[in-house]
Amino acid sequence: MEKHLQARGSEWIETFRCRSRIDLLSGWWRSTDPERRSVLADPWGHQHRPDWAARGLLIWPRGGNWLRLEQILVCSEDWKQSSASLERLVLSWWADRVRLWVDGVLVHEGDLFDTRCRWVLPTDWRKHSGLRIQLELRSPCHDDGALIQSALVQEPLIAECDSDRVLLPEALVLACAKGEPIPNAVLSCNPKGTQAVSLVDHYLASRSRPRGTVHWLGHAHLDLAWLWPVADTWQAAERTFRSALDLMDRFPELHFAHSTPALYAWMERHRPALYDRIQQASRQGRWEPINGPWVEPDCVLVSTASLSRQFTLGQEDSLRRFPEWRHDLAWLPDSFGFAAGFPSVANASGIRWFCTHKLAWNATNRFPHRLFRWRSRGQAEVMALMLPGIGTDGDPVAMAEEHRNFHEATGLEQAIWLPGVGDHGGGPTAEMLEQLRLWREHPQALPQQPGTLRAYLDQLEPFRSSLPVWRDELYLELHRGCATSKPDQKRHNRTLERLLREAELAAALLGAQADELVPGHGVTSDWRPLLFQQFHDILPGTSIPEVFEQAEPIWRDSRRRAALCRDQLLGHLLGGAPDDGFGSNLHGSRWTWCSLQPLAHWSPLLRLPKGHWSSGKQHLASQAAHSGGVWVQLPSCEGICALPLQRVSETVEPAPMIRHPVKVEVVSSEAWTLSNGLLSADVSTLGLVQLRDGNGVQQLREPAQLLRFSDRGEFWDAWDIAADYRQHPLPMAESWTAELVESGPLVARIVLRAALGLSKVRLDLLLKADTPWLEIQISIDWKQTHELLRFELPLNIASVRCAADTSGGVIERPAQAITPYEQQRWEIPVISWLSAVSEAPGGGLAVLLDGPQGADASADHLGVSLLRGPTWPDPSADSGFHKHRLALMPALNGWNRDAVPQAAIRFREPGWTGAVALDQRWQGLPPLPKSLVPIAVKKASTDGLSDEAIQIELLNPGPERQRWLLGQDWRACCKNTNVLMNAWDVSPGELITLVLDKNQSS
């Protein structure tokens, strides 16, 4: 009998809840239906969305379809007697536009993000014959619409005086949330009878208040762009901030937290009065800036230099605007995964706490921790908190569930709650805050603690030593297509970042003269436009077309300004006297090439105007270029250096010596072997047939493949690649047309052409003298939709691991996925290189990328995702002309010992060439060891050093300690000390900032 009673407990509670709650879902009819038939009974939802129908939702088709509903609300006789209560219409929906009308008056509007309302019915509605309620809902373009909840609920007029006992049913639900059984005496009575009220009241009075607390603060997640343009974001931010400040006046318990220094900067400039109110509330401790980076960026597609600058500028701005707060947290609730090196980059700018919610979106595996220490390879560490869902309300049952989940995951009794409309801003509403007040003193609800995020994190600090340590990336098992969608945004990003870094480097090497020679160079080379476009729905390519249309002139103007600034600074640095037309003298006889990264080795090969060239007194080897001008091999060099170039009229005899010249062997009319002593490649109408390293070891099991797959059916179209795409291959051309267009000795080029569906593709395979990689240029006029284009390399030597660079470091994975977590990492975002690692000694094939790019690796292949064809939210996201560059580099001794990271830099950033008359070879900075990676070079601000002091940020991505010997001219010290040394050790995985100064005796 007891088991039977407990089994019907849920049914009993639902019946008991009807005393103060009436479900309205079945009562809606279409406004145009004279027969007033229930829309809930429409078979469409059961046929097309049976999962939603099973949950009792009211469903209608996607595509911006309007559903206009109506019903008449009549107050029951029982409710008319509840003199100490009021009634609310409670609605929740999945629709991109919502309007609620009562007796012909518009009383509420909502959208895809503002998805709830708790509208108070007028006090005299009980006297009416009925309230006419009209509800208009428009389905999202990308998904079916749903009316999720529709109910009338009663609440006491005064929270502390529930004489009508209308909160009893919800209080019983809260009591049951703890898992304790309801007494049989309660379950055996009639839930509709008066005895039930007495028994439930007595049962609840005998229970103690729940243990623990819920620490809450208002929040409004605001995407800077997504399904709206940036201009709309400023308006949404203004509305949100005004609303939060006004609510603080009405609700003294409210604390509000918001991120994004870029938003505060806009407010200061365009809404100064509102900005002053924010600062005043901040000084009072009620408005909390939870910033960290300049914006909430994508954290797996940006380079280490960009991620570092996000935090540096964000932290500097926060300290200036809000000095009353300590700034040691990174608030990134919505970014699409986080690189393994993130703790190193964040920690370097003073970040100690990291907060996100996004890993709760994992499609397959539940992330195992809610509170943990996240440690990078270099031992830098941040405390990490997995937040509850953003965009919540004041529902006490949901708060109790979150508290229970957090307690089960951490053993701690303090949970956090973040009420507020999110994504498009909004923040907490009066209805949410009234609901929180309604339950804050209720004995069955968890005790509430309004306050700041920092106060909550301080409560967690004592548990640091006992927390688990996570030593891996935070991989999001979703949104794997973001590294591939909208490649034009990635191209703009990498180009602008390079220009900004180069301008900073030139200014640093000029020292104190930079401000005098190029006034305003710091403004011209401003990083903030770049950092803004790295927002996590812009750079990944997951916004509406208007976002990218408006971003295009910003990208182009920022690139133009940064390039001009860099060129002017380099012109002065290298001895020129540039004017506004600097660099335009393409037919001059005096040129300069300059390396702009302090690499261990440079072997420049340039295409210059037609003629014979020399550097100093050394005549240079050249070759006529197919597209005009000549290829010229410059002297090898190291570090940051510059070589003078002069065009001469006479022909030099004998011809200058070529380092590792390219040879072409004709195998047949359409088959060739290219070699340069460092590697060789076989090419025919089958494509790249074979690649061999310098010892003749074959790298490919089969010819390299360009493949097409169907890529359909994903809810998040631009974000996600279909997990089963390999099961849906599409036809490919059986062979290529092949043409040898350049045949050495400096450059050999073979052009392959084919058609892919409606698209045409061209592959240029280039082998250059003294270069350890084969370059592949893929040009395509892409006209496909919902397809995935990939370049794949079947490996001849099985790999045991794969490695790839990532923001702040390198991630290494087993080549054969075994654990459930490894199996879900079938597509990875890569910044600039990917490498297979075979058994000892660990050699393998590396792919150098002009990325970021989506890629994958297994024991028998490496692959790169080139293009997709999503149609939502941008209908023509990837269509048009694209050019991808990648290179294949055999690494005999493994990616670290063969300096694959530095090779990737040389591939992506081959140096600067300009019409500057340099008299002699110039050395700017000493070379790094080949296994260290330069991140950024800029002017040092350390006191006590010379005007020539510079600051350099370095990464040791490998597993071995590296020592940098600076030579006689330079000394180095740590950023915060002035103890100069001529050698510096960098630990495995360490991200370090050093200050370099000239040796006074040099």
Side-chain angles (χ1 to χ4, degrees):
M1 179 65 179
E2 290 185 6
K3 290 184 178 180
H4 174 71
L5 287 173
Q6 292 301 325
R8 58 184 287 264
S10 297
E11 180 182 344
W12 194 96
I13 292 175
E14 284 304 309
T15 305
F16 186 67
R17 292 180 81 184
C18 292
R19 309 180 69 90
S20 56
R21 179 187 181 89
I22 300 174
D23 193 326
L24 302 177
L25 268 177
S26 61
W28 293 105
W29 63 80
R30 296 182 189 272
S31 297
T32 56
D33 183 5
E35 298 183 18
R36 298 187 174 184
R37 290 166 294 187
S38 172
V39 181
L40 191 62
D42 191 318
W44 189 92
H46 293 270
Q47 295 169 2
H48 295 87
R49 297 303 294 264
D51 54 335
W52 286 10
R55 293 166 52 193
L57 309 188
L58 194 157
I59 314 159
W60 74 102
R62 69 186 65 196
N65 287 306
W66 280 98
L67 178 66
R68 292 177 170 84
L69 304 175
E70 189 173 328
Q71 66 174 291
I72 304 297
L73 301 183
V74 179
C75 186
S76 68
E77 291 301 320
D78 290 339
W79 282 22
K80 289 180 180 180
Q81 309 306 314
S82 303
S83 58
S85 303
L86 58 80
E87 288 75 37
R88 290 182 183 268
L89 177 60
V90 178
L91 301 171
S92 64
W93 53 81
W94 178 240
D96 73 356
R97 188 79 183 273
V98 177
R99 293 192 289 255
L100 173 64
W101 306 77
V102 177
D103 284 343
V105 178
L106 181 65
V107 299
H108 188 88
E109 293 185 90
D111 54 30
L112 203 58
F113 315 103
D114 185 0
T115 61
R116 305 176 182 91
C117 87
R118 291 171 48 81
W119 184 72
V120 178
L121 271 64
T123 55
D124 61 348
W125 86 280
R126 299 178 185 180
K127 303 175 183 178
H128 291 187
S129 57
L131 278 182
R132 185 185 177 208
I133 309 294
Q134 295 168 294
L135 187 60
E136 299 177 323
L137 309 104
R138 187 175 67 187
S139 63
C141 291
H142 66 291
D143 197 14
D144 300 322
L147 182 57
I148 301 170
Q149 184 182 23
S150 174
L152 272 182
V153 300
Q154 281 193 309
E155 292 178 0
L157 287 168
I158 302 173
E160 297 79 11
C161 184
D162 184 17
S163 57
D164 293 330
R165 321 309 281 161
V166 294
L167 292 183
L168 273 184
E170 207 70 10
L172 182 59
V173 174
L174 283 170
C176 294
K178 302 175 186 177
E180 298 177 9
I182 301 174
N184 292 331
V186 174
L187 296 179
S188 60
C189 76
N190 180 3
K192 296 182 179 180
T194 56
Q195 184 185 16
V197 174
S198 176
L199 289 172
V200 169
D201 203 6
H202 178 75
Y203 163 61
L204 295 179
S206 68
R207 297 173 54 84
S208 59
R209 192 161 193 186
R211 292 180 55 187
T213 57
V214 174
H215 189 104
W216 70 268
L217 62 148
H219 175 248
H221 179 60
L222 177 55
D223 286 328
L224 297 181
W226 180 25
L227 303 181
W228 51 87
V230 172
D232 191 52
T233 300
W234 307 131
Q235 298 175 20
E238 181 181 359
R239 290 193 303 269
T240 300
F241 292 176
R242 288 191 190 280
S243 172
L245 291 165
D246 291 344
L247 287 171
M248 285 180 185
D249 294 336
R250 292 177 55 190
F251 298 87
E253 68 271 25
L254 173 62
H255 292 74
F256 181 76
H258 207 279
S259 66
T260 312
L263 283 175
Y264 293 119
W266 188 91
M267 289 293 160
E268 180 183 32
R269 181 176 181 181
H270 297 282
R271 300 293 184 270
L274 179 59
Y275 178 73
D276 289 344
R277 291 182 64 193
I278 291 172
Q279 286 203 307
Q280 181 181 357
S282 173
R283 289 189 291 269
Q284 294 170 350
R286 298 184 62 196
W287 184 292
E288 185 178 17
I290 47 174
N291 294 334
W294 180 249
V295 301
E296 295 179 15
D298 186 281
C299 293
V300 293
L301 300 180
V302 300
S303 70
T304 304
S306 282
L307 189 60
S308 176
R309 201 56 56 94
Q310 284 280 359
F311 279 104
T312 301
L313 289 184
Q315 290 288 83
E316 290 174 354
D317 188 86
S318 298
L319 287 165
R320 179 182 67 83
R321 293 181 191 282
F322 304 106
E324 60 272 13
W325 297 93
R326 71 173 192 269
H327 296 280
D328 60 355
L329 64 93
W331 181 267
L332 295 163
D334 201 34
S335 297
F336 309 150
F338 304 91
F342 182 97
S344 294
V345 180
N347 207 245
S349 64
I351 298 297
R352 297 181 62 254
W353 276 96
F354 160 74
C355 304
T356 189
H357 167 71
K358 202 63 179 184
L359 266 66
W361 284 48
N362 275 4
T364 304
N365 297 300
R366 181 180 178 184
F367 188 75
H369 305 303
R370 291 290 303 272
L371 182 65
F372 58 99
R373 293 151 61 193
W374 185 17
R375 185 178 298 165
S376 69
R377 176 180 250 174
Q379 304 307 305
E381 185 177 282
V382 294
M383 291 271 281
L385 173 67
M386 293 294 148
L387 298 165
I390 53 178
T392 55
D393 56 13
D395 181 3
V397 177
M399 293 168 69
E401 182 179 1
E402 166 58 21
H403 183 273
R404 181 175 66 253
N405 292 338
F406 190 75
H407 175 68
E408 291 174 353
T410 65
L412 303 180
E413 297 283 3
Q414 309 100 314
I416 192 168
W417 191 249
L418 305 166
V421 177
D423 282 335
H424 198 196
T429 65
E431 294 173 350
M432 295 177 186
L433 300 174
E434 288 164 356
Q435 191 176 23
L436 285 164
R437 277 187 174 180
L438 180 65
W439 291 95
R440 66 181 175 186
E441 300 297 337
H442 198 284
Q444 299 307 319
L446 280 159
Q448 299 176 15
Q449 180 60 57
T452 66
L453 175 65
R454 288 168 175 81
Y456 175 71
L457 298 180
D458 286 345
Q459 296 176 28
L460 304 181
E461 282 283 359
F463 305 103
R464 172 185 286 267
S465 61
S466 61
L467 296 178
V469 177
W470 186 262
R471 297 179 176 88
D472 198 356
E473 64 184 317
L474 297 180
Y475 183 92
L476 178 64
E477 295 177 6
L478 198 69
H479 297 355
R480 299 177 181 91
C482 290
T484 306
S485 296
K486 293 291 289 186
D488 59 320
Q489 299 302 302
K490 282 75 170 174
R491 181 175 64 251
H492 281 311
N493 174 75
R494 63 180 177 259
T495 302
L496 179 54
E497 185 213 282
R498 174 178 58 82
L499 292 170
L500 292 171
R501 281 192 286 102
E502 291 172 351
E504 273 192 342
L505 180 143
L509 293 176
L510 266 175
Q513 302 178 72
D515 293 334
E516 178 183 347
L517 295 172
V518 186
H521 66 85
V523 176
T524 306
S525 56
D526 186 1
W527 279 76
R528 287 173 295 182
L530 170 69
L531 302 183
F532 191 95
Q533 302 302 329
Q534 291 174 344
F535 179 73
H536 65 260
D537 270 312
I538 300 179
L539 182 59
T542 52
S543 291
I544 58 174
E546 291 87 340
V547 172
F548 305 114
E549 292 167 3
Q550 294 167 15
E552 188 67 20
I554 297 173
W555 282 120
R556 292 185 180 276
D557 180 64
S558 298
R559 287 172 57 174
R560 180 189 60 80
R561 289 157 57 90
L564 178 61
C565 178
R566 176 204 59 181
D567 291 349
Q568 291 175 333
L569 289 165
L570 284 174
H572 288 293
L573 178 67
L574 300 174
D579 54 24
D580 291 339
F582 171 70
S584 61
N585 184 15
L586 302 179
H587 302 289
S589 61
R590 300 286 298 277
W591 285 52
T592 295
W593 174 86
C594 183
S595 64
L596 298 175
Q597 293 275 25
L599 304 184
H601 173 72
W602 286 97
S603 181
L605 200 159
L606 310 180
R607 188 163 66 88
L608 294 172
K610 188 175 181 180
H612 303 286
W613 291 85
S614 66
S615 180
K617 296 182 179 180
Q618 180 181 352
H619 292 283
L620 305 177
S622 63
Q623 169 196 325
H626 175 70
S627 55
V630 291
W631 291 108
V632 181
Q633 186 180 59
L634 277 57
S636 58
C637 54
E638 61 184 16
I640 291 179
C641 61
L643 301 175
L645 300 173
Q646 183 170 9
R647 183 158 48 177
V648 296
S649 57
E650 71 274 11
T651 303
V652 179
E653 296 291 348
M657 183 70 69
I658 298 175
R659 302 184 303 277
H660 293 104
V662 176
K663 299 178 181 178
V664 178
E665 178 185 350
V666 179
V667 179
S668 68
S669 61
E670 291 186 310
W672 305 267
T673 296
L674 316 179
S675 62
N676 67 0
L678 301 175
L679 75 162
S680 63
D682 297 339
V683 184
S684 73
T685 55
L686 296 177
L688 176 60
V689 177
Q690 189 54 259
L691 184 72
R692 289 174 289 271
D693 62 23
N695 295 330
V697 177
Q698 296 184 349
Q699 303 296 306
L700 302 180
R701 185 180 71 256
E702 299 172 357
Q705 301 170 324
L706 201 62
L707 302 174
R708 289 167 62 209
F709 301 92
S710 177
D711 181 21
R712 291 180 176 275
E714 296 305 298
F715 176 80
W716 298 102
D717 192 12
W719 294 258
D720 289 338
I721 295 174
D724 63 347
Y725 73 87
R726 289 193 178 276
Q727 300 174 25
H728 304 283
L730 296 172
M732 295 292 298
E734 295 184 1
S735 62
W736 301 79
T737 62
E739 179 185 6
L740 176 68
V741 297
E742 294 182 277
S743 55
L746 292 181
V747 176
R749 180 194 301 260
I750 296 174
V751 176
L752 306 174
R753 293 180 174 88
L756 305 177
L758 299 174
S759 306
K760 295 180 179 180
V761 62
R762 165 177 166 162
L763 267 64
D764 288 56
L765 281 65
L766 293 85
L767 184 62
K768 298 180 180 180
D770 201 30
T771 301
W773 60 75
L774 176 72
E775 181 175 344
I776 302 175
Q777 299 174 359
I778 305 174
S779 305
I780 185 166
D781 186 10
W782 186 244
K783 298 181 179 179
Q784 316 300 116
T785 58
H786 292 124
E787 291 188 12
L788 174 64
L789 181 67
R790 291 181 53 80
F791 182 74
E792 298 202 346
L793 301 161
L795 298 177
N796 187 46
I797 303 172
S799 60
V800 294
R801 297 193 313 280
C802 70
D805 74 330
T806 184
S807 298
V810 169
I811 186 69
E812 291 192 88
R813 295 190 178 95
Q816 184 65 47
I818 297 175
T819 69
Y821 292 98
E822 293 168 353
Q823 291 168 359
Q824 290 304 310
R825 298 177 182 184
W826 45 264
E827 183 84 358
I828 55 177
V830 177
I831 304 295
S832 66
W833 63 267
L834 170 73
S835 181
V837 182
S838 63
E839 294 180 345
L845 181 62
V847 181
L848 313 181
L849 298 170
D850 197 14
Q853 205 80 43
D856 77 325
S858 69
D860 60 5
H861 90 282
L862 295 176
V864 178
S865 296
L866 300 174
L867 287 168
R868 304 181 60 229
T871 57
W872 184 79
D874 186 348
S876 58
D878 290 0
S879 62
F881 180 82
H882 300 279
K883 185 174 182 178
H884 291 270
R885 292 177 65 241
L886 56 88
L888 309 182
M889 176 181 170
L892 283 72
N893 303 300
W895 65 267
N896 187 48
R897 293 183 178 178
D898 280 355
V900 168
Q902 283 203 13
I905 294 175
R906 293 202 309 274
F907 173 67
R908 290 160 62 99
E909 304 177 23
W912 176 86
T913 307
V916 170
L918 181 67
D919 293 328
Q920 60 184 358
R921 184 171 178 148
W922 170 83
Q923 190 71 42
L925 283 179
L928 293 171
K930 67 178 183 179
S931 294
L932 288 182
V933 178
I935 303 303
V937 179
K938 57 184 179 180
K939 177 68 178 171
S941 57
T942 305
D943 295 332
L945 299 174
S946 74
D947 291 340
E948 296 180 302
I950 65 163
Q951 179 177 300
I952 182 168
E953 193 173 7
L954 304 173
L955 172 68
N956 178 5
E960 302 170 354
R961 181 180 295 271
Q962 300 293 326
R963 167 162 285 197
W964 186 17
L965 300 173
L966 285 90
Q968 299 180 351
D969 295 339
W970 291 87
R971 297 291 184 270
C973 66
C974 247
K975 184 179 178 181
N976 299 319
T977 70
N978 289 344
V979 181
L980 293 164
M981 297 185 292
N982 63 0
W984 205 274
D985 290 334
V986 187
S987 301
E990 185 177 8
L991 180 67
I992 187 171
T993 299
L994 298 176
V995 176
L996 272 61
D997 200 3
K998 279 287 187 68
N999 191 349
Q1000 298 303 314
S1001 61
S1002 63

